[in-house]
Amino acid sequence: MADQRDPDCLFCKIVTGDIPATVVRETERTLAFRDIKPQAPTHVLVIPKDHYPNAATLAAADAELTAAVLSEAAGVAADEHIAESGYRLIFNTGAAAGQTVFHAHVHVLGGEQFHEGLV
Ligand code: AMP
Ligand code: ZN
């Protein structure tokens, strides 16, 4: 089991309330909040409350929590009325992928038509 909190981690501070965020969904083990710099009409981040540096370490450590994060991402899409039109889930993993916050998170992006393909 990883340390539950990293005192230097931005998203751990959002979990504890030390840094404010616009929370849209919360469960005992997950939090979903709006990205501060939205890149689509809906741009929400879903995180486990426990600190894992990325999706791979989260998945390796806790399958149930990984599933809860994905399930909450689907819940966000339903709440935001983009479940039918479609949405994109992105886990940036590592610096070369553009990961800047090293606390596992999935981006839920939707509300606009994306190009086919990945980038
Ligand atoms: P990534 O590049 O995958 O690590 O994504 C990190 C995301 O966190 C970026 O989309 C940022 O805009 C977002 N972000 C950074 N600081 C905050 C904050 N205080 N509240 C909400 N989102 C944030
Ligand atoms: Zn953290």
Side-chain angles (χ1 to χ4, degrees), residues 40-117:
T42 289
H43 188 172
V44 171
L45 303 173
V46 183
I47 68 170
K49 288 182 176 176
D50 290 349
H51 180 89
Y52 294 97
N54 57 47
T57 50
L58 167 63
D62 195 330
E64 193 179 322
L65 184 54
T66 307
V69 168
L70 281 179
S71 167
E72 282 300 296
V76 168
D79 292 349
E80 300 277 320
H81 309 291
I82 55 171
E84 294 297 323
S85 55
Y87 57 95
R88 200 168 266 188
L89 300 181
I90 298 176
F91 288 95
N92 291 325
T93 304
Q99 188 179 1
T100 58
V101 179
F102 290 85
H103 179 129
H105 56 278
V106 60
H107 297 255
V108 183
L109 292 154
E112 69 184 26
Q113 179 65 49
F114 294 113
H115 297 295
E116 290 180 19

